[in-house]
Each structure stands twice: as C-alpha cells, then as structure tokens.
Amino acid sequence: MFNFEKLEVWQKSISFADLVYTVTRAFPADERFGLTNQMRRAAVSVSSNIAEGSSRLSRVDFARFIEIATGSVFEVVSQSFIGKNQGFLTTEQFQKLYAAAEEQSRMLSGLRKSLLPD
C-alpha cells in the first residue's frame, strides 16, 4: 500500500471523481471533448495531486500539491454551475456535486494547514 492510500482525503477524492464521472455520463455527446472532459480531468487531478504531493520530501512541496488539488476542486464547482445552467445537470445532481466539493475542499484545507508551520 502506498502512503497516500491511507489518507482519507485521497479516498474521498476518488469518490469525488467517481461522482463527476457518473453525472457527466449523461451530458450531450457534443460535450464529450468540452465540459465533460474538463470536469473529468479536473476531478481526476484532485487525487493525482494528493498522490504526487505525498511523494515529495518536504512538507512545503506537499502543501503546494494540495493547493493545486484544491484549485481542481474549485474548477469542478465552476464547471458544475455551467453544466446546471446549460441543463446538463439537475438541481439534485448539482447540489450533490457541490456538497462533495465543499467536503473535499475542507479536507484539503485541513491537510494543507497540518503540513505548514504556523
């Protein structure tokens, strides 16, 4: 087992990506290389950056990767608004994504704070 696999925030990020994949599956075919791809790439980036950051030798470097992961969560939120406005996401799907993003963001923030000196 790799060390990042033990992190609850990484485990949640995998679930977050699964959720994004699930809700974007019903997006129109002409969005396959547009919003669908953007949302999926951003969602996958969260767990990828946590994993890559965990390999860094310094806590400051790891914290930087957590910042990047947080940015990817924010991308999904912004893109979710567009998906909802375009009628690709139901209100329920949007709310579920938004709540998952809030939780992911809080967990990433906590991890980042734990990595940096006061």
Side-chain angles (χ1 to χ4, degrees):
M1 177 178 270
F2 292 97
N3 62 342
F4 64 84
E5 292 177 89
K6 298 173 189 164
L7 296 172
E8 185 180 359
V9 67
W10 178 83
Q11 295 166 8
K12 290 279 188 180
S13 70
I14 295 297
S15 297
F16 181 66
D18 287 343
L19 176 61
V20 170
Y21 268 77
T22 298
V23 300
T24 58
R25 207 167 274 130
F27 280 19
D30 64 345
E31 283 298 324
R32 191 172 77 217
F33 300 110
L35 193 57
T36 303
N37 185 49
Q38 284 293 116
M39 289 181 73
R40 288 177 173 187
R41 288 171 57 93
V44 168
S45 176
V46 179
S47 62
S48 298
N49 277 290
I50 296 167
E52 186 174 353
S54 73
S55 74
R56 300 303 163 151
L57 298 177
S58 85
R59 294 167 72 89
V60 172
D61 282 348
F62 189 6
R64 178 67 185 125
F65 278 86
I66 298 306
E67 289 174 18
I68 295 166
T70 302
S72 295
V73 172
F74 290 2
E75 282 183 58
V76 173
V77 171
S78 180
Q79 294 156 354
S80 295
F81 274 98
I82 294 167
K84 182 171 86 55
N85 291 347
Q86 291 299 310
F88 305 155
L89 290 172
T90 66
T91 300
E92 181 182 328
Q93 288 172 319
F94 174 81
Q95 289 171 342
K96 191 171 183 179
L97 267 176
Y98 196 91
E102 282 183 313
E103 178 183 31
Q104 192 73 60
S105 178
R106 277 192 306 274
M107 293 178 80
L108 287 166
S109 178
L111 176 56
R112 185 176 177 280
K113 286 177 185 172
S114 76
L115 292 169
L116 296 176
D118 289 329

